[in-house]
Amino acid sequence: MTDYVRRCVVELLSRGAVPVFGGGPDGPHDWIVQRQYGSRPEEIVENVIREWLANSAQDEDPGGLWFALAEDAWAPPT
């Protein structure tokens, strides 16, 4: 299953998606970029997989993490 999740995340990133969390129904942004996973695709994949495994990896859903196209997500200033 780990390989399946890895391939899915790689494909999402290759299509321009970035890791995001929802901004909430009352927030000013629908999606907020989560930079703690890294900036390079390889780094993001490894960190997402590491977090998923640490949270028991019970199914192919990596938890509360979502992906959105970069142009549809707000990136907080660094």
Side-chain angles (χ1 to χ4, degrees), residues 15-29:
R15 305 282 180 149
V18 293
V20 296
F21 283 166
D26 299 324
H29 309 289

Side-chain angles (χ1 to χ4, degrees), residues 57-75:
Q58 294 178 359
D59 57 34
E60 62 276 355
D61 180 2
L65 181 64
W66 289 71
F67 288 84
L69 293 175
E71 61 264 20
D72 295 330
W74 178 71

Side-chain angles (χ1 to χ4, degrees), residues 13-74:
L13 296 173
S14 77
R15 305 282 180 149
V18 293
V20 296
F21 283 166
D26 299 324
H29 309 289
D30 291 332
W31 299 110
I32 301 171
V33 174
Q34 299 300 295
R35 291 196 176 117
Q36 74 267 24
Y37 296 102
S39 56
R40 296 182 336 270
E42 308 81 31
E43 183 181 28
I44 294 169
V45 169
E46 291 310 312
N47 287 322
V48 166
I49 295 294
R50 186 177 297 116
E51 181 179 275
W52 175 66
L53 291 171
N55 290 318
S56 73
Q58 294 178 359
D59 57 34
E60 62 276 355
D61 180 2
L65 181 64
W66 289 71
F67 288 84
L69 293 175
E71 61 264 20
D72 295 330
W74 178 71

